[in-house]
Amino acid sequence: MKADIAVIGTGVMGSNLARNLARQTGHRVAVYDRDVARATTLAEDFPEAEFIVATDPADLADRLAGPRVAILMVNAGPATDSAIADLAEVFAPGDIIVDGGNSHFQDTIARGARLTGTGIEFCGVGISGGEVGALLGPSLMVGGSPAAWQRLRPLLEPIAARAESIAVGDGATTEDPDAAPPGAASAESYYPCVAHIGADGAGHFVKMVHNGIEYADMQLIAEAFTLLRDGFGMQASEIGEVFEEWNEGELESYLIEITADVLAHVDAATGRAFVDIVADAAKAKGTGAWTAQTGLALGVPAPTIAEAVFSRSLSSAADLRAEGPRLAGPHPAAADASAAPVSSGLTGDERRAAIDEIGRALLLGKVMAYVQGFHEISTGAREYGWEIDLGALASIWRAGCIIRARLLDRVAEAFDSSTPPQTLLADDYVRDVAARCQTALRSTVVRAIGQGIAVPGLASTLSYYDGLRSAAGSAALIQAQRDRFGSHTYERTDREGTFHTLWSGDRSEVQL
Ligand code: 6PG
């Protein structure tokens, strides 16, 4: 019996995706790994999956029914290139190679272009949800030709997360593979989180931006935690309770949920809060930086995302941080369970109000990270010629992926409406959040600045927000300076045209 689909690379993500595919009735899955023993062990560990283990690329091609479909789950970069080269030698016209890794969208475009002429289709599919998502239902962002999508759709829809299985939440979650989607009256009442995003690199482009939003969201959450810890002297477990409460309301999201869980966790070796024994230096694999770099290249302001990337770099800049304690300014107490709690100087009610304020600041920050991300996606779509359905994209981010959040229901509704907003910033819900939360964001940032607590995500969000609101900002002076030193020209507020002032002459103005 031939396999319907192959998974190449049997690391944790590849193994879990292969198991997810094998669980679907009627799917026979072939697995291949350069380390054949690893693929063999996977098949032995999960006999119920009935994996077909291929020993080399030619064997793999032989064991797949045509037109063949193989999903690469290998490291982004050279490993992906060499896996594609191996398959290109044994695959035939009409076969499809899918890259399911976190590849840069421009690499995906280039790889597809290199296969042109072979007749082999190349698709870049963004897969979000981590290890658990790969096994139980990820969110899948497909880039490739419409024909390839038609072939992939019946294979990917059954393995994708179901949006309402999380949104309804009657106790069952996507973490239970055998659970019927909660609240689903029929199969039609829930939504498989997979969509065709556009040609070539579109799937990996939106996955990149997904990760940029993920970075921003994580940074904003981490800042809220730091404010509660250093500004109010709260212990991790208490802060966890605040997050748990927040997760019951408008802030409800996977990242808030896991934050509450992490903060409640106690280190077995020391008996201290787990977060207090984790080294304060964040790592990154690069997708957040790509989102910031692409934003810069496209002229899209994405400061909350960029600050999130810089904050991780700052946290790991050991040489600079070693000098930090000698720099002047207020130094909030570090997270140390044995240190005396910092007094916020607030009464109980005031403290409660200030905590609520931080929650509202976080909500506005989160919403603005989405505004920045969607702005980058629509600008990227224009630049690269993709017609991206933003409503469908928001819908498939409602479950399975790392940035899934209650507020995405509202984003999806906005973009799916008969009068979709030109930008998310024009959406009623976004405006309403801004109206309800901007004062809280302002006072939270002011408080943090006074206390010497770094809040680059929240502060840059506020500057972004105020920058957008301002009818007359600082750019007019920048343009005037540019014309003054470099004859770079300017536009006027009162007349059409491009102008230059003869600064070193009689200072008269010429129209160009
Ligand atoms: C996802 C995640 C996934 C990965 C991040 C981690 O959507 O499932 O985003 O892709 O966990 O890329 O990124 P960093 O290691 O850069 O934090």
Side-chain angles (χ1 to χ4, degrees), residues 466-476 493:
D466 283 338
L468 293 172
R469 283 188 327 112
S470 148
S474 51
T493 55

Side-chain angles (χ1 to χ4, degrees), residues 403-445:
I403 62 169
R404 60 189 188 250
R406 188 196 283 194
L407 65 85
L408 276 165
D409 290 351
R410 305 299 296 266
V411 175
E413 272 166 32
F415 285 127
D416 273 340
S417 76
S418 52
T419 51
Q422 281 296 312
T423 143
L424 195 49
L425 203 62
D427 175 52
D428 287 345
Y429 173 68
V430 171
R431 287 187 180 155
D432 173 56
V433 170
R436 284 185 283 124
C437 302
Q438 62 90 23
T439 310
L441 177 59
R442 238 169 259 294
S443 29
T444 300
V445 170

Side-chain angles (χ1 to χ4, degrees), residues 128-130 166 175 209-222 224-225 240 243-244 246-247 251-263 312 362 366 369-370 397-398 400-406 408:
S128 179
I166 289 174
E175 304 209 358
V209 176
H210 164 285
N211 281 25
I213 296 171
E214 171 186 307
Y215 271 56
D217 204 352
M218 291 169 74
Q219 176 64 27
L220 294 164
I221 288 172
F225 160 72
F243 274 89
E244 220 173 285
W246 283 345
N247 201 43
L251 275 168
E252 182 190 334
S253 58
Y254 173 70
L255 285 170
I256 296 272
E257 177 193 324
I258 61 156
T259 303
D261 189 39
V262 165
L263 292 176
R312 290 198 194 184
L362 183 53
K366 211 172 166 75
Y370 281 96
W397 282 353
R398 287 185 304 134
C401 71
I402 304 295
I403 62 169
R404 60 189 188 250
R406 188 196 283 194
L408 276 165

Side-chain angles (χ1 to χ4, degrees), residues 293-323:
Q293 286 160 352
T294 305
L296 289 170
L298 292 172
V300 171
T304 313
I305 294 170
E307 281 297 350
V309 179
F310 281 134
S311 294
R312 290 198 194 184
S313 310
L314 186 148
S315 77
S316 299
D319 292 359
L320 293 179
R321 287 188 77 184
E323 294 302 320

